[in-house]
């Protein structure tokens, strides 16, 4: 309710908010019903962040480059014996 200081609500409206035991929940419920464009803002931030990160990473080799190299040879192992070979 600190935000009440940031703008001028009429005294009766401020008193009504302060009298409610769930004033923040009441405000949040009303905010959830409001038609806002906050999701557009979030998408814009995601796109801008991804673009900035892609620009910075163009000069660095990708971590995925390591996946394109052939696997290193491992220690020699004997093939497992089949049940017919064990007899």
């Amino acid at each position: 309710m600190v935000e009440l200081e940031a703008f001028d609500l009429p005294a009766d409206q401020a008193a009504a908010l302060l009298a409610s035991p769930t004033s923040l929940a009441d405000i949040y419920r009303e905010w959830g019903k409001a038609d806002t464009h906050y999701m557009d803002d979030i998408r814009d931030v995601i796109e801008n962040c991804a673009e900035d990160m892609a620009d910075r990473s163009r000069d660095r080799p990708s971590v995925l480059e390591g996946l394109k190299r052939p696997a290193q040879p491992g220690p020699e192992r004997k093939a497992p014996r089949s049940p017919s070979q064990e007899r």
Side-chain angles (χ1 to χ4, degrees):
M1 302 312 312
V2 173
E3 278 299 308
L4 287 176
E5 295 175 6
F7 56 94
D8 294 322
L9 274 181
D12 61 326
Q13 291 178 5
L17 280 175
L18 293 172
S20 171
T22 58
S23 57
L24 288 178
D26 299 334
I27 293 168
Y28 182 76
R29 192 176 311 108
E30 288 301 313
W31 177 78
K33 295 177 191 176
D35 185 22
T36 62
H37 302 286
Y38 66 92
M39 287 306 294
D40 292 336
D41 294 339
I42 292 171
R43 282 187 207 99
D44 290 344
V45 169
I46 291 170
E47 288 173 3
N48 291 338
C49 182
E51 184 177 346
D52 290 346
M53 292 173 78
D55 288 345
R56 286 192 302 256
S57 69
R58 284 190 181 102
D59 296 334
R60 294 182 297 201
S62 170
V63 196
L64 300 177
E65 289 298 320
L67 298 176
K68 295 177 183 175
R69 288 182 270 152
Q72 299 295 318
E76 293 296 322
R77 296 183 184 200
K78 293 182 181 179
R81 300 182 79 166
S82 68
S84 62
Q85 292 175 329
E86 292 179 3
R87 294 183 188 164

